[in-house]
Amino acid sequence: MFLVKLGGSVITDKGRLRTFKDEACRRLASEMQGRDGSLIVVHGAGSYGHVLAKEHRLDEGFSDESQLHPVAIVQRDVRELNTRVLEALIDSGVRGVSIPPAASATFDGSAVKVFDPSLFQKMIGLGLVPVTFGDVVPDESLRFSICSGDLMMAELARHFKPRLVVFCADVDGVFTGDPKTDHGAELIHELGRETLDNLRRTESLNADVTGSIYGKLDRMLDIASHCEKCIILNGDVPGRLKKALEGESVPSTAVLPG
Ligand code: IPE
């Protein structure tokens, strides 16, 4: 079983509201060909989710009625993104089928309360490729909250114990500094708890309601303990995802269990 996350920064322009990177998404879809029945895809929301979610503080849950219109808009927007991802997959011959997070899980306090993998199991059993995504979801204590794609990755990893988990980012992996501004930043080949704790904390430039890269890395350490191998690679470089799925080694950061 392979579990792949297409990061929001790879399939959207995170700085510009609702900008889909069609070419990149179609190429990544074609790199996943031939794995129907043994692949689950998760995608982030990118600028279809984070921009409005941050503006209206949807990640903090319900505070007043004025948030409900943006809740509906973000729900619609991430479904539009999901449809575009499905189109890219299906056009590449990958039999993607949509499973919104709330169809398989309940949420409380921005965490998963109960996860039911049966829908994923049925789709996989049929030889299809379940596709889930970051979304606004009903939440028992907050009334609504944001479920990140990474939260779904963690649940899926725990239940399906994949051979390989791949996070497609817009950089080669985790660096010692921000590779986009610091040219001396070096790629970290293996990242464990200690390395993460020692990493210099840099601020993300774009709106992100599901935590900085450090929050995401915390979750990845947990995911790494439920699979044989967990890597972060550059989804913007053609061929890297394909090679990784074929078991070849590519520039990446391997996340160690912790
Ligand atoms: C965010 O999901 C969900 C919403 C803001 C609605 P992710 O946290 O998985 O998205 P990316 O990968 O950072 O864009």
Side-chain angles (χ1 to χ4, degrees), residues 5 7-8 14 44-46 49-50 74 134-135 146-150 209-210 216:
K5 167 141 190 229
K14 259 191 135 167
H50 285 285
V74 171
D135 200 0
I146 299 288
C147 165
S148 70
D150 296 13
V209 291
T210 48
K216 291 177 192 269

Side-chain angles (χ1 to χ4, degrees), residues 60-190:
E60 293 168 24
F62 180 87
S63 55
D64 64 78
E65 294 280 325
S66 71
Q67 291 172 302
L68 297 180
H69 194 68
V71 164
I73 294 175
V74 171
Q75 276 245 345
R76 178 205 62 194
D77 287 352
V78 295
R79 273 152 189 74
E80 183 186 321
L81 175 63
N82 180 241
T83 300
R84 301 207 65 172
V85 173
L86 289 174
E87 274 166 9
L89 289 167
I90 291 167
D91 289 352
S92 297
V94 178
R95 301 187 289 247
V97 286
S98 181
I99 304 183
S104 64
T106 56
F107 301 86
D108 189 8
S110 293
V112 172
K113 191 176 178 199
V114 179
F115 178 68
D116 175 4
S118 59
L119 203 46
F120 286 89
Q121 253 146 10
K122 282 177 195 153
M123 298 303 186
I124 292 164
L126 264 172
L128 298 169
V129 175
V131 183
T132 191
F133 50 89
D135 200 0
V136 191
V137 293
D139 189 293
E140 283 177 26
S141 50
L142 299 171
R143 298 176 71 184
F144 61 75
S145 64
I146 299 288
C147 165
S148 70
D150 296 13
L151 198 54
M152 292 306 288
M153 289 289 285
E155 290 304 321
L156 291 163
R158 207 165 290 139
H159 280 86
F160 290 98
K161 311 256 179 275
R163 173 144 52 106
L164 179 65
V165 174
V166 182
F167 285 87
C168 298
D170 61 350
V171 287
D172 283 358
V174 183
F175 285 77
T176 52
D178 183 347
K180 291 190 175 156
T181 50
D182 172 3
H183 294 297
E186 283 172 23
L187 181 66
I188 297 169
H189 296 283
E190 283 193 342

